[in-house]
Amino acid sequence: FYNLGFAYKHLKQWAMAVPAYREAIRLDPRMADAYLNLGNVYSAMKNYAQAASHFRKALDLKPALERARRGLDKAEAELTAAKAKTSPFGRLVDAEKVSESTAAPAATRDLTEDERAADRRSLSQLLERLDAQLDDLVETMEDHLGPAVQTLNKMLTQPLSPHGVSITKAEALDQFIEARAQYTPRLVQFRNSLRELRDHEAQYQ
């Protein structure tokens, strides 16, 4: 499983590398290199919170693992930078760094007309992106993931595909894995866009 994760990682098939490395870790919880490589995969996926968590585990097991130290430093820097950014809707999100005397005005000030217009444009673009991503997600499920699941289920009862072509269980599983690899990144994009929408909503509360 470690070697499978390594292969997927070098093919940049991040969504496939994650479960392979996780299985390697389940089988050998003290495999520091698996934590390190999983951290690198999460960094490539820009999931820096998970990346930092796995780099720390690698360092707990092998404190001298310099690559894990560098990966952790990078992941923490990315998290700090993301936290310090202003939201795409023109509001302050790193509020804890503002002093008590200025925090409330900075967080609750009224927007100018230009800022309101920019906010409406950003929200409209986000909703359009969500709509397109949802269509893409549903289409992928209908065209790829659904048929792959049906074929895999069919293999439990008979060795023939719906088209009468002989297919092995391994081939059916490969079809499912390939379909899932197309589906998973789209789901991640959709979830990220939903998170942006929730962040926008939270700014009004």
Side-chain angles (χ1 to χ4, degrees):
F1 282 105
Y2 175 84
N3 289 337
L4 181 62
F6 189 82
Y8 278 130
K9 174 175 174 285
H10 281 271
L11 289 170
K12 297 185 178 179
Q13 294 185 16
W14 315 122
M16 304 305 297
V18 169
Y21 278 129
R22 284 192 174 279
E23 184 64 10
I25 288 168
R26 186 187 71 80
L27 294 168
D28 184 359
R30 297 195 61 78
M31 189 185 293
D33 284 348
Y35 285 109
L36 166 65
N37 284 354
L38 187 51
N40 287 330
V41 168
Y42 278 123
S43 286
M45 297 170 73
K46 300 189 185 305
N47 186 340
Y48 296 111
Q50 282 283 2
S53 173
H54 285 83
F55 287 135
R56 289 190 193 99
K57 289 176 182 175
L59 286 168
D60 286 343
L61 294 169
K62 195 181 290 187
L65 197 56
E66 186 58 31
R67 288 177 298 161
R69 172 61 58 193
R70 291 196 302 268
L72 178 60
D73 290 344
K74 178 184 175 182
E76 289 181 336
E78 291 286 353
L79 287 170
T80 300
K83 198 174 184 181
K85 285 181 181 177
T86 300
S87 80
F89 306 103
R91 295 178 177 82
L92 187 67
V93 294
D94 196 21
E96 67 270 20
K97 289 189 178 180
V98 183
S99 67
E100 291 183 3
S101 61
T102 61
T108 61
R109 70 175 180 83
D110 291 335
L111 298 178
T112 66
E113 284 303 316
D114 287 344
E115 287 173 329
R116 288 184 185 280
D119 187 47
R120 286 193 293 270
R121 286 194 300 271
S122 296
L123 181 57
S124 177
Q125 290 169 2
L126 174 56
L127 291 173
E128 287 177 3
R129 190 167 80 240
L130 267 169
D131 191 43
Q133 288 175 347
L134 181 57
D135 286 343
D136 189 35
L137 195 59
V138 171
E139 183 178 343
T140 301
M141 290 178 67
E142 291 176 346
D143 293 347
H144 300 285
L145 194 59
V149 171
Q150 290 174 5
T151 301
L152 198 56
N153 284 335
K154 192 176 182 68
M155 293 303 302
L156 297 175
T157 57
Q158 53 186 335
L160 295 178
S161 77
H163 307 293
V165 179
S166 194
I167 184 171
T168 67
K169 288 183 175 64
E171 289 170 336
L173 182 59
D174 286 343
Q175 287 180 8
F176 171 75
I177 290 173
E178 183 178 347
R180 189 182 66 173
Q182 296 183 50
Y183 168 78
T184 303
R186 289 168 169 81
L187 180 61
V188 170
Q189 289 176 347
F190 184 69
R191 283 175 172 168
N192 288 340
S193 296
L194 275 179
R195 191 175 298 113
E196 287 184 48
L197 187 61
R198 293 191 189 100
D199 289 344
H200 177 264
E201 181 183 23
Q203 298 295 335
Y204 285 102
Q205 296 177 350

